[in-house]
């Protein structure tokens, strides 16, 4: 089941835009501050909050469609 989760997660992450994937991984996985990311990426902090929100929503929807329930993941 862990392999299925990993395959589904990798597949769903690949469906995100490069910006969505970078911001999501750097902020949520690496714990980087959105203010620092905004500076690094030349974006506003508010635009990155929107990017994270949309990326998380897309990722959750994709995982759900793959049969992965985020409550059990």
């Amino acid at each position: 089941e862990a392999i299925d989760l990993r395959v589904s997660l990798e597949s769903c992450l690949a469906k995100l835009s490069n910006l969505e994937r970078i911001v999501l991984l750097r902020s949520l996985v690496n714990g980087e501050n959105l203010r620092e990311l905004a500076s690094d990426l030349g974006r506003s902090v508010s635009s990155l909050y929107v990017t994270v929100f949309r990326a998380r929503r897309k990722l959750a929807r994709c995982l759900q469609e793959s049969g992965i329930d985020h409550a059990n993941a």
Side-chain angles (χ1 to χ4, degrees):
E1 187 171 303
I3 292 173
D4 291 340
L5 175 60
R6 182 179 176 158
V7 169
S8 293
L9 185 57
E10 288 175 355
S11 174
C12 290
L13 283 170
K15 293 178 182 179
L16 298 176
S17 72
N18 284 337
L19 179 63
E20 289 170 332
R21 191 170 36 260
I22 288 167
V23 172
L24 191 68
L25 293 174
R26 287 180 64 180
S27 66
L28 297 179
V29 176
N30 296 347
E32 293 183 48
N33 184 298
L34 284 183
R35 211 171 277 135
E36 295 169 5
L37 278 174
S39 178
D40 286 352
L41 299 172
R43 306 277 180 159
S44 70
V45 174
S46 60
S47 75
L48 291 190
Y49 276 108
V50 172
T51 301
V52 168
F53 172 79
R54 290 179 179 161
R56 289 179 70 174
R57 186 175 57 189
K58 286 180 184 180
L59 187 60
R61 187 178 302 131
C62 181
L63 290 171
Q64 186 177 32
E65 290 171 358
S66 298
I68 304 297
D69 179 5
H70 73 278
N72 295 325

